[in-house]
Amino acid sequence: MSQADGENILCSPISGIGRRLTDASNVLGLMDFSLAARSGVRGHGAREWLASRGLPSDIAPNHISDASDQGLVMALSQREFWLLQPDADANVQQPASNALAPGAWPLYCQHSHAWLMLIGEPKAAMMAKLCGVDLRECAFPIGQVAQTQMAHVSVVIAHHDYQDEAVFSLFVDQSLAEYAAGALTDAISEFNPPGV
Amino acid sequence: MSGPRLDAPFGRLIDRSCPTQFEFEGQVIQGFEGDTVASALLAADHWLISRSFKYHRPRGPLSLAGHDANTLIQTPEAPNRLAEELAAGNHPRLRAQNYLGSLASDRYALLDRLGRFLPVGFYYRAFFKPRGIWQFWERFIRAAAGLGVANLEVQPRYTDKQYLFCDVAVIGAGPAGLNAALTAAQGGADVLLIDEHPYLGGALTYHRFDVEGTQSQDMLNTLCDAVTQHKGIRILSRATCNAWFSDHYLPVFQGDRLFKVRAKQCVLASGSSEQPVVFRNNDLPGIVLCSALDRMLCHYGVTSRAPVVVLAGNDSAYLTAVNALEAGLTVAAVVDLRSGPGDTDLVTVLANANIPLYTNATVYEAKTDSSGVRLGKVHVHTCAADGSVGALQAVIPCGILAMSAGFMPAYQLACHGGAQLEYHDDRSAFALTRLPEGMLLAGSVNSIHELAAVCVDGRNAARRALRALSLTTDEDETRHCPQTVNHPWPIFKHPRGREFVDFDEDLQIKDIINSARLGYRDIQLVKRYSTVGMGPSQGRHSALTTARLIAKATGRTVSETGVTTARPPVKPESLGVLAGRRFHPIRTTPLHDRHRALGAHMIPAGSWRRPAYYGDPKDRAGCIEAEAQAVRTGVGIIDVSTLGGIELRGAHAAEFLNRMYTYGFLKQPVGKTRYAVLTNEQGVVIDDGVAARFAETHFYVSATTTGVDRVYRDMQRWNAQWRLDVDIANVTAAFSAVNVAGPLCRDVLLAAGCDLDLSPEGFPYLACQEGRLAGIPARLMRVGFVGELGFEIHVPSLMAAALWDRLMSAGEGFGIRPFGVETQRLLRLEKGHIIVGQDTDGMSHPGEVGLDWAVSHRKPFFVGQRSVKILAAQPRCRQLVGFALSPAAPMPKEGHLVLRGRDIAGHVTSCEYSPTLGQIIGLAYVHPDDSGPGSTITVRTDRDVCVAANVVALPFYDPDNLRQGL
């Protein structure tokens, strides 16, 4: 299946939000990265599998690490890791279900979770309207991950750099993505000038 | 209407260049930007603002700080707004409330004269005898009850909540709070400073701390500049901290937003409430606390031509007299409850100004002027420290009486955290002790009143917070505070009463004492019986007096008596702000937009939204019938993405499944599906689904829409014990699914393009395979939930919309029609399939619902096996059966009872009219003796109409299962 065909097959669960980074740092931007590539692995052999692929494998749970040209590796527990590739497109193959290596099971995070990216200086203040975790830089520096609730739904929040900007990546159940995007958009409206 | 204002520095809050105006009771009132409604009314010499709750006595400001209920007024949007807090000009038209006739001439004021017949508790003791009399009284009481009028047409405002995090929360921005905030921030803490007023400084902005009046002004400017410029301090003004909860969780209300503050340390610098003197008619408009007169002058520059009398229980009140003098008011006298001030310089100041000083004296009675609603004069008598009153010394004409009997710590927040109030006889004052960890007191809430000591106390509190945060090792400064500010007994009972203890509830001395005499000795019972402290003031001005009165009446100490429990909220709060923005998560499938575009009528299914059917709800039956017809005769497609999906992978996947579900799964061939029933440890059916085996080590198990989270949780819990080599993943969101059903469904799939052999031989009933359908990677299963040839197609969720589009396009030539949940429920009912949760309840075991066949009796274990065996061995007391009725019969509904004689034998769980079968069909629990086909059961339908239904064998449709195996 070519990528051109893939573009016709894949459909983000969120409508009306693009994937382009906003230019102004003093406003908040919300981007939809749901069609960007991501995969996951978990099990007692997950760390070894990461290492065998040349990926960072010594990440503590709830941390995210830059894997240079391979994207980012996010550790959700001692045995669960997501590989995020914001600059690559999702593929249209059947997600693998067989073990990648002994004790290393692939996860379906490409399809189970929508990926939103939040950019802009007041992002922690805005998130305080929706989430009970202190996401200010002093308490939640770059490299940290929070598995928490946002607007009453489960969310994974990762603080990392993307294109030289500090961003929050938000992962929510894809069936709740439209709802979550609505809650975020509403909260953001307080921080952005009308029309932005 | 307005009066002259004092020149600066008086009136620090008003902007004289920005006039405002509003209407109060039809009278136009002029004010300035910065005025409150109350201050603008006072400037217009309009002291009567409201009527009291019970006796409709005239009332004006008492604290002028929003700490009492004397200035409750009605805005167009809402009743019971405090005129002391409402900005003048924000509401063009305002009214007083709780009167009949006019505010000045309230016909309900007659109740004041009938007061002797309306003692405390009269509600409890009247109106219920003789029997039936309540109906007579009720209309009068209801007509008189309530304050103000709710506007039912008001548009809801956007309210919101937000978390705020800090190292140190400082509550109160008076001298103690400012010092605490600054010291904490200078020590490196992230500080949040919270104050209910729009300005910083607290008492520094109005109170005179020395005769010259220079101390407070200099300190105010210095502290405010330092605090506002410090980057480590965030200021929340006009914000009320309404409670303290564990771990320093502070709900702070600011406008239409509730801040949920999470602090590591909490400095309470909430100040103290000045206490009134209790004497006859101490509630007349014109009688205010000393701090209120100070605010009137210093904040709003409001002056008065009427003479002022100051009633002092401490030295602080003398400084109010000095303030008034400096503002040009006529101070007619200072009446000191004591033998004289501690600071003899104050006597000199009064003497120099020719102000008479009455010592060991009190105002025993206040009287109105010619208007009948405003203070006109006071009777001054000699008095002793125990409250006994002697001879009349003077009658002094005055328009304002400023009084101060002492101060009560603003104890509420501390007490929310479990702090105790201890009474100190030597100081005649309560003090807070046993504070929760991390809560620190500073300033007058800590019973410190001398300015320098207050500042030191604030800094010390900050240092303790910093030490707890490991940000400093600095020791505390020493402080001395010898000042005593409370008079031991500022309570002067009058033979004719009307000495008010609680202004909110119109409670007099006799009301409190009588409560004790009636046996309500405990302060909590006194509160409940008399309602003391239950008004908006929450005991700020009544708790101390009540404790003293009850202590004396019951022969206990004030410490033993205590005060009533302080509970949140500290101040009234709006339910709208408490509710905040509503978050109601709604789950939608990737096909949601497709359904809407096709005119689906969406209904909730748990947290999901699903199409009930497609078409006009007015023709619900027609839509469902047409959809069912399409499935039975052609082809239909339904979105089943909400079905739960659990992936089991690993060497022990089959063993795990075998232990979890009732059926046998160890020998389930790869490429086959098997019905899976889940029971709990009590043997009750809690879920069902289909287990598809795609590899030796890989099962894909479906679960019910609303049950999957529980199933997943149970699986994880059990495997935490079993330690089997299996990975359990909830993939509900990762896979979306459609069910294409009907005799033509195979043709549609072939038309869409499929790389699998879909023939009956290549893909038989109950088979499952992975392949590509319409170019999309998919898992296909042959299932028969609706009783027709059907394929359930599961695809990765991002591809679900493309699958739907391609199948709809491929099915166009075959008349494919989408069908909804309600149609599916009808179709499965025709087939006799149960829905767990609808046709089962918390008692249903497999035998009762006809699922014995899905229970393996040969395997050693499954969850609930022992209970299932025990239940199966018991005599059955009900059985789920199918029943049929003529279409002309009254339609039973889910929940309708099945009767057996006069007993309830069971109930209907599902019932529909089947257009295919031309009769009403349903499932119901019945007595086992009535469960055989051919039996008759009685169903009680709407309006108690009983119908006789025939028990029939299941399934109703295609009993030989020929169609699903096509």
Side-chain angles (χ1 to χ4, degrees):
Chain A
M1 181 66 57
S2 71
Q3 191 56 51
D5 289 334
E7 283 167 11
N8 294 329
I9 289 177
L10 298 172
C11 180
S12 168
I14 302 163
S15 54
I17 299 175
R19 193 165 150 184
R20 190 175 63 82
L21 284 189
T22 176
D23 300 328
S25 63
N26 60 336
V27 299
L28 282 166
L30 183 67
M31 286 80 66
D32 177 15
F33 275 69
S34 296
L35 297 185
R38 57 200 174 279
S39 56
V41 59
R42 78 173 181 197
H44 59 80
R47 281 186 191 276
E48 288 72 17
W49 181 82
L50 287 174
S52 71
R53 297 282 300 268
L55 291 163
S57 59
D58 56 348
I59 313 167
N62 289 325
H63 284 76
I64 187 166
S65 177
D66 193 349
S68 61
D69 59 340
Q70 295 195 73
L72 300 144
V73 178
M74 177 167 71
L76 296 180
S77 72
Q78 291 286 3
R79 311 193 330 172
E80 180 167 345
F81 303 88
W82 287 15
L83 176 59
L84 311 172
Q85 295 169 285
D87 293 325
D89 290 323
N91 74 50
V92 294
Q93 302 304 314
Q94 175 75 289
S97 55
N98 296 328
L100 303 169
W105 299 100
L107 296 171
Y108 305 111
C109 51
Q110 178 74 65
H111 299 276
S112 63
H113 286 73
W115 181 358
L116 289 154
M117 199 180 281
L118 188 62
I119 189 169
E121 192 271 331
K123 56 186 181 298
M126 185 280 290
M127 285 297 287
K129 292 175 66 176
L130 304 171
C131 174
V133 174
D134 187 357
L135 297 175
R136 293 175 302 154
E137 177 70 34
C138 57
F140 189 66
I142 283 182
Q144 291 230 335
V145 171
Q147 299 179 62
T148 179
Q149 292 265 308
M150 177 189 75
H152 295 189
V153 299
S154 296
V155 63
V156 178
I157 306 171
H159 194 187
H160 62 91
D161 278 327
Y162 178 61
Q163 294 186 2
D164 299 325
E165 293 280 353
V167 299
F168 287 163
S169 276
L170 313 173
F171 300 93
V172 294
D173 183 298
Q174 65 84 9
S175 66
L176 289 159
E178 194 76 42
Y179 160 79
L184 283 162
T185 307
D186 177 83
I188 285 170
S189 62
E190 178 185 329
F191 294 84
N192 283 355
V196 176
Chain B
M1 184 177 177
S2 180
R5 299 292 181 105
L6 298 166
D7 292 333
F10 293 103
R12 69 168 66 241
L13 298 186
I14 57 168
D15 182 350
R16 293 168 178 79
S17 64
C18 294
T20 60
Q21 72 171 41
F22 60 92
E23 231 180 78
F24 182 72
E25 290 290 295
Q27 190 177 355
V28 176
I29 305 291
Q30 311 283 346
F32 296 106
E33 190 80 35
D35 259 326
T36 64
V37 168
S39 67
L41 285 169
L42 294 185
D45 206 32
H46 200 308
W47 280 75
L48 174 63
I49 295 180
S50 73
R51 287 281 173 170
S52 72
F53 174 63
K54 183 175 173 184
Y55 297 132
H56 288 255
R57 290 174 63 86
R59 289 283 165 81
L62 174 68
S63 65
L64 209 61
H67 291 165
D68 57 86
N70 273 10
T71 63
L72 290 177
I73 59 169
Q74 171 92 46
T75 70
E77 293 80 28
N80 300 319
R81 302 293 305 274
L82 280 169
E84 295 162 346
E85 292 183 338
L86 279 180
N90 280 3
H91 300 274
R93 269 179 295 282
L94 300 165
R95 299 199 64 81
Q97 57 186 35
N98 199 34
Y99 63 78
L100 181 65
S102 70
L103 177 61
S105 178
D106 177 9
R107 290 207 282 277
Y108 278 140
L110 177 67
L111 290 168
D112 192 21
R113 298 188 186 174
L114 301 175
R116 59 189 294 230
F117 303 111
L118 307 171
V120 155
F122 81 97
Y123 275 107
Y124 313 137
R125 290 181 284 169
F127 307 126
F128 70 95
K129 281 182 184 175
R131 189 180 180 84
I133 198 67
W134 168 248
Q135 279 71 24
F136 171 77
W137 284 113
E138 185 180 8
R139 55 191 153 145
F140 299 107
I141 291 169
R142 290 213 184 278
L147 293 178
V149 180
N151 181 356
L152 302 178
E153 305 298 319
V154 73
Q155 288 298 310
R157 301 187 311 272
Y158 183 94
T159 58
D160 208 355
K161 295 179 187 175
Q162 184 174 350
Y163 284 92
L164 275 183
F165 306 91
C166 62
D167 294 330
V168 180
V170 179
I171 299 158
L178 290 173
N179 272 286
L182 196 57
T183 305
Q186 286 167 343
D190 173 24
V191 177
L192 184 67
L193 180 59
I194 302 159
D195 196 274
E196 62 180 334
H197 299 297
Y199 51 84
L200 297 179
L204 291 173
T205 62
Y206 61 86
H207 188 62
R208 199 179 188 95
F209 286 91
D210 57 350
V211 173
E212 294 75 26
T214 52
Q215 257 194 62
S216 55
Q217 189 55 50
D218 294 346
M219 187 178 289
L220 176 66
N221 295 338
T222 310
L223 278 175
C224 286
D225 286 349
V227 164
T228 50
Q229 286 167 18
H230 202 292
K231 287 193 168 69
I233 301 175
R234 283 172 289 162
I235 299 168
L236 270 187
S237 54
R238 292 181 195 271
T240 305
C241 179
N242 244 358
W244 182 96
F245 295 114
S246 299
D247 302 322
H248 308 298
Y249 170 41
L250 310 168
V252 178
F253 291 77
Q254 186 190 50
D256 284 337
R257 178 163 293 180
L258 166 59
F259 289 99
K260 297 184 273 189
V261 175
R262 293 280 185 185
K264 294 174 186 165
Q265 296 280 304
C266 180
V267 175
L268 204 55
S270 49
S272 53
S273 299
E274 194 163 30
Q275 298 297 297
V277 180
V278 183
F279 57 87
R280 178 172 164 77
N281 293 333
N282 60 340
D283 62 333
L284 288 177
I287 300 179
V288 295
L289 298 171
C290 283
S291 52
L293 180 57
D294 288 333
R295 284 186 169 98
M296 191 176 107
L297 303 171
C298 298
H299 282 176
Y300 306 110
V302 172
T303 184
S304 173
R305 283 193 290 272
V308 175
V309 170
V310 173
L311 178 56
N314 47 44
D315 286 6
S316 168
Y318 282 73
L319 295 170
T320 297
V322 176
N323 234 0
L325 267 180
E326 193 171 293
L329 274 66
T330 304
V331 179
V334 172
V335 180
D336 196 330
L337 302 172
R338 308 165 299 169
S339 55
D343 180 357
T344 50
D345 287 351
L346 295 170
V347 178
T348 311
V349 172
L350 296 189
N352 290 344
N354 293 319
I355 298 171
L357 171 63
Y358 298 87
T359 56
N360 291 318
T362 184
V363 170
Y364 189 42
E365 181 176 7
K367 293 200 168 179
T368 58
D369 64 4
S370 57
S371 71
V373 293
R374 166 97 192 258
L375 176 67
K377 59 188 173 188
V378 292
H379 289 209
V380 176
H381 286 238
T382 57
C383 73
D386 62 358
S388 56
V389 176
L392 175 70
Q393 277 195 304
V395 176
I396 307 172
C398 60
I400 297 173
L401 172 69
M403 58 184 169
S404 177
F407 295 86
M408 179 76 170
Y411 58 88
Q412 287 83 358
L413 290 176
C415 289
H416 295 172
Q420 302 287 311
L421 277 168
E422 277 181 12
Y423 194 75
H424 294 255
D425 288 315
D426 57 331
R427 291 190 280 122
S428 307
F430 276 110
L432 285 159
T433 59
R434 296 185 226 170
L435 296 167
E437 190 180 342
M439 179 188 279
L440 305 151
L441 301 181
S444 61
V445 72
N446 197 25
S447 307
I448 311 291
H449 294 275
E450 195 270 319
L451 184 58
V454 162
C455 295
V456 172
D457 204 40
R459 293 195 291 271
N460 283 346
R463 286 191 188 97
R464 290 196 288 277
L466 289 170
R467 288 200 295 269
L469 295 168
S470 304
L471 290 173
T472 189
T473 53
D474 289 356
E475 294 299 316
D476 288 358
E477 297 173 57
T478 35
R479 63 158 169 78
H480 301 283
C481 188
Q483 207 174 26
T484 298
V485 293
N486 279 15
H487 187 271
W489 195 264
I491 305 165
F492 303 99
K493 185 162 169 48
H494 194 282
R496 290 163 60 204
R498 298 293 184 274
E499 332 86 336
F500 286 93
V501 174
D502 188 320
F503 291 62
D504 298 3
E505 305 280 343
D506 274 349
L507 295 171
Q508 309 164 48
I509 292 176
K510 67 176 183 184
D511 296 322
I512 305 300
I513 292 174
N514 285 343
S515 300
R517 283 183 183 157
L518 286 166
Y520 299 101
R521 292 168 56 83
D522 187 277
I523 195 78
Q524 308 291 356
L525 296 178
V526 171
K527 172 184 171 179
R528 280 151 185 79
Y529 182 67
S530 68
T531 67
V532 66
M534 290 169 76
S537 305
Q538 290 287 288
R540 284 184 195 89
H541 304 119
S542 62
L544 179 57
T545 305
T546 303
R548 285 167 168 168
L549 286 170
I550 293 295
K552 188 174 182 181
T554 58
R556 291 175 296 173
T557 65
V558 177
S559 264
E560 286 168 344
T561 305
V563 299
T564 56
T565 307
R567 296 186 180 87
V570 174
K571 290 184 79 175
E573 58 197 20
S574 141
L575 291 176
V577 180
L578 264 187
R581 189 179 153 212
R582 291 183 298 170
F583 291 116
H584 293 305
I586 292 172
R587 303 182 77 177
T588 54
T589 75
L591 306 176
H592 189 76
D593 291 343
R594 267 65 176 175
H595 302 318
R596 299 300 295 264
L598 289 164
H601 175 62
M602 306 300 288
I603 56 169
S607 56
W608 293 88
R609 289 292 179 276
R610 299 190 69 182
Y613 49 85
Y614 296 78
D616 187 351
K618 289 178 191 158
D619 186 28
R620 172 184 176 275
C623 294
I624 293 172
E625 186 172 339
E627 289 173 12
Q629 180 77 2
V631 177
R632 292 282 179 241
T633 60
V635 59
I637 182 169
I638 181 171
D639 178 5
V640 291
S641 304
T642 62
L643 273 180
I646 293 172
E647 193 99 317
L648 301 173
R649 295 171 297 185
H652 295 153
E655 172 62 24
F656 179 79
L657 201 60
N658 208 46
R659 294 188 193 187
M660 286 300 302
Y661 288 91
T662 58
Y663 214 18
F665 294 92
L666 291 178
K667 295 179 181 173
Q668 179 179 347
V670 172
K672 286 289 184 187
T673 62
R674 194 163 278 186
Y675 182 58
V677 175
L678 189 67
T679 53
N680 62 13
E681 289 156 289
Q682 289 72 44
V684 172
V685 176
I686 56 170
D687 207 81
D688 68 348
V690 170
R693 191 168 199 173
F694 287 105
E696 281 297 323
T697 57
H698 179 202
F699 285 86
Y700 177 58
V701 189
S702 65
T704 57
T705 297
T706 52
V708 62
D709 290 337
R710 176 193 185 163
V711 175
Y712 178 58
R713 197 166 56 238
D714 281 355
M715 285 181 169
Q716 288 181 306
R717 180 168 63 85
W718 281 110
N719 203 41
Q721 297 179 36
W722 298 337
R723 300 273 177 178
L724 295 176
D725 180 12
V726 60
D727 181 75
I728 308 161
N730 185 345
V731 295
T732 302
F735 288 92
S736 296
V738 295
N739 184 9
V740 185
L744 301 180
C745 78
R746 187 178 283 123
D747 302 304
V748 173
L749 268 52
L750 290 171
C754 185
D755 61 1
L756 298 172
D757 176 4
L758 297 179
S759 68
E761 300 75 27
F763 208 137
Y765 182 55
L766 299 182
C768 63
Q769 293 189 58
E770 286 184 299
R772 279 191 179 276
L773 177 64
I776 295 168
R779 293 172 174 177
L780 279 74
M781 293 174 233
R782 271 203 62 184
V783 293
F785 190 53
V786 297
E788 299 291 343
L789 170 65
F791 290 85
E792 205 168 88
I793 305 155
H794 295 244
V795 296
S797 286
L798 295 184
M799 305 177 194
L803 175 76
W804 176 273
D805 293 342
R806 293 178 186 193
L807 288 174
M808 289 296 283
S809 175
E812 201 171 353
F814 301 95
I816 193 168
R817 180 167 186 148
F819 63 103
V821 179
E822 294 206 15
T823 306
Q824 186 192 40
R825 283 180 185 160
L826 167 65
L827 296 170
R828 67 86 204 180
L829 180 60
E830 289 174 346
K831 194 61 191 162
H833 289 152
I834 65 163
I835 295 177
V836 173
Q838 177 170 328
D839 300 305
T840 66
D841 57 29
M843 304 285 284
S844 307
H845 57 84
E848 272 186 359
V849 295
L851 291 177
D852 270 334
W853 65 270
V855 178
S856 168
H857 297 288
R858 285 182 291 179
K859 62 183 184 180
F861 174 83
F862 64 86
V863 175
Q865 185 186 46
R866 184 167 177 271
S867 299
V868 169
K869 278 183 181 171
I870 292 171
L871 289 166
Q874 302 287 323
R876 199 166 289 172
C877 54
R878 62 177 188 168
Q879 181 69 45
L880 188 71
V881 299
F883 68 86
L885 277 169
S886 123
M891 169 83 97
K893 293 176 184 167
E894 291 160 18
H896 277 168
L897 296 180
V898 176
L899 301 178
R900 196 166 198 262
R902 299 182 63 181
D903 295 332
I904 296 170
H907 66 276
V908 175
T909 61
S910 297
C911 191
E912 298 281 354
Y913 170 70
S914 166
T916 306
L917 302 169
Q919 57 184 345
I920 294 169
I921 58 170
L923 298 175
Y925 284 103
V926 302
H927 191 277
D929 292 347
D930 299 335
S931 62
S935 302
T936 301
I937 57 170
T938 303
V939 181
R940 193 173 73 186
T941 63
D942 286 339
R943 291 186 287 278
D944 292 341
V945 175
C946 290
V947 295
N950 294 323
V951 175
V952 297
L954 293 175
F956 300 98
Y957 174 75
D958 186 23
D960 298 325
N961 295 328
L962 299 175
R963 300 184 64 83
Q964 63 197 23
L966 284 174

